Amino acid sequence: MEEEAGEEPGLDRSTAPKDFHFYNMDLYDSEDRMQIIPQENTRMRREVVQAEMTKDPRGAGERKIQRDLQEEVDDLVHLYGLEDEQELGDEFVEESRMGVSGYLPYGMKRRDPTREQRDWRLGGEAAEAEDLGYGGWGLAGQCQDLREAYRYTHGRASEEYECYVIPEEEDEEEAEDVFCVTCKTPIRAVERAFDEHKEHEVTPLNKALESAKDEIHKNMYKLEKQIIEMENFASHLEEVFITVEENFGRQEQNFELHYNEILETLAQKYEEKIQTLGQKKKEKLEALYGQLVSCGENLDTCKELMETIEEMCHEEKVDFLKDAVAMADRLGKFLKTKTDVEISAQPDFEDQTLDFSDVEQLMGSINTIPAPSAPVINPQAPNSATGSSVRVCWSLYSDDTVESYQLSYRPVQDSSLGKDQAEFTVTVKETYCSVANLEPNTQYEFWVIAQNRAGPSPSSERAVYMTAPSPPIIKSKEIRSCEEAAFICWESGNLNPVDSYTVELTQAETPEALGVTESVVGIPTCESLIQLQPRQCYTIYVRALNVGGPSARSDPATVHTTGSYFHLNKNTCHPWLTISKDGFTVVRSERKIHTREPLPSKTQFTRCVAVMGNLIPVRGRHYWEVEVDECLDYTVGVAFEDVPKQEDLGANCYSWCMRHTFASSRHKYEFLHNRTTPDIRITVSPKKIGILLDYENSKLSFFNVDISQHLYTFNCQLHQFVHPCFSLEKPGCLKIHNGILMPMHVTFY
């Protein structure tokens, strides 16, 4: 151990006693790690070191060390919840005190001596221990045991020991690997033979998972359709709600306006009547007051005359006579005065008839509303039409009250027809209408009139709407494909032109499979070359689009990207040849239908009795096979599309062919290009010829499929696309096999 200890800076070993042994001990943590033992324990360790170095002769230092060590162990037992191991800890301290070496603390094992890996924390802590003067500690066994004790309490191992945790053993159950269809639950395969699943139907877990995913996808698809329907219905309800709210709002404003006018009219009439009554009251009271004053004056005069007459009666005769004459004249004059004893103003209240005709007229005008103004028809919204219906919307830019709308429409008139189109009218309550039973991909002009009880509004401006196109028709017989792409053709299915087409593809075996994996949009013509993944099965649909929206899906077509797939081109077929219904067999019959050769043509073979295939225009590797008869005269190969149709195949620089002729039981094989052929002998006559067209390497190779034999390879300059060609010089048939995997022996060429 002395040789293993390295020299530490700052430590002079010459001053140390001879029996001191140096150890790299992990007594103190570095400053960048969390202190597991409190600082008090660090202080106690320093005191332990200092007491040992001073070697108290009275033994006080040794007893203090043991006491501090026991306290430290007790603190750690309490700190880590090891009270159950208290007895073991006491035994450990006792044996440490007695200097018993080789004691292994609980949970520790002896490290393999061959292991060189050490705790990364040893270097710094060992240096700290030596800086404290802890170069040795009495006997070697005591130093070793105390060092292991401290390292054990820190949860770390020494140079010769390492700590480990023995995990609790758990019963690991075997994972479920099958699915019980009857119970709808995953189970283990071993359970099936013993429990209630013994007679139940089970399936592999992966298969059950895929089935569950498919079911979820189907339900999600149905849920999406239901969500779309509910959203459309909610939109419809919202529009109805807004229309009703607007109509009633305008009606409320109309009522409020008219009632305010009625109240103003009544208030005016009230003021007028009150003023008239006051004037009449004043006149009557003044007349009655005047009469009352006049009557009072006459009454006073009468009383005065009575008193005077009574006084005269008591006078002497002479005086009486004198006064009587004067009184008589006075009475005569007074009595001659006419006294009005009739009441000038009667107390009865005159019946004041109120004229409410104008008020009644106002009341009647509440229900007499003006005719609405002309509605404003909206332009056609995107995707607002189907092949047989269109959704028309309009609005009102006024506060008119509308009871209904009359929507009229007719097809846009074609000037070439020279006759008027029939008009149709529908009545609706809302500011929109879905018009059905229309022709697909056809323009219609619409106009609308608003109505209420006062009459109709002027007509709106006319707007042109268009129905969606009819679904296209895929030409399944003209589909061409290879491992990387497919060439799709279709018919528009519409009399009028459409804006574009969209091709939708799904990687599925059945058309009912869910989820469009790819869409190719904006296709201007009725054909498209689509990039695909090799060795897959695709279901393809086509939609037509115009301003009204997309058409419904076309009928599906299936494309397999396994090898090159093509049909024979009937437009190039010589009249003496017949192509089968499936498009893969060409036949020349014994009886000649035409005795003379047909007229020259740029597309149809006229001299050479041949036909061309329609290969997909994709550069890469294409492979097909031709089934032949050993006694048949035939020619197979490739040629440019503009190969002269009046020349034999291989007689020009536009074609590369393999020609076979049979005469006198001898087979002759030629590989022709521009009328030249190499000198090649073929000993085994092929019954099935494999043809490999390699654009990348500019090669055309021929093989005997039955024996996997390579026959010949052309090095071609293919500056444009070529097509398979087949010729029969005598009656017989050739059967083409394509859409097949390339054999292994072909891939090496």
Side-chain angles (χ1 to χ4, degrees), residues 98 231 237 242 359 374 480 491 496 540 614 653 674 729:
M98 296 176 62
E231 287 178 348
L237 287 179
I242 293 174
V359 177
R480 295 172 276 167
E491 295 179 357
N496 299 323
I540 297 180
N614 217 356
C653 61
N674 206 14
E729 300 178 9

Side-chain angles (χ1 to χ4, degrees), residues 25 71 104 116 214 232 240 242 338 475 494 532 649 724 731 746:
M25 294 185 292
E71 292 177 359
L104 297 180
E116 295 296 330
D214 293 341
N232 294 335
V240 173
I242 293 174
K338 187 177 181 181
K475 300 178 181 179
N494 297 273
L532 302 175
L649 295 175
V746 174

Side-chain angles (χ1 to χ4, degrees), residues 272-283:
E272 292 176 355
K273 290 297 180 182
I274 292 298
Q275 186 175 1
T276 301
L277 290 175
Q279 186 67 26
K280 290 182 177 181
K281 174 184 176 182
K282 180 178 179 182
E283 292 176 356

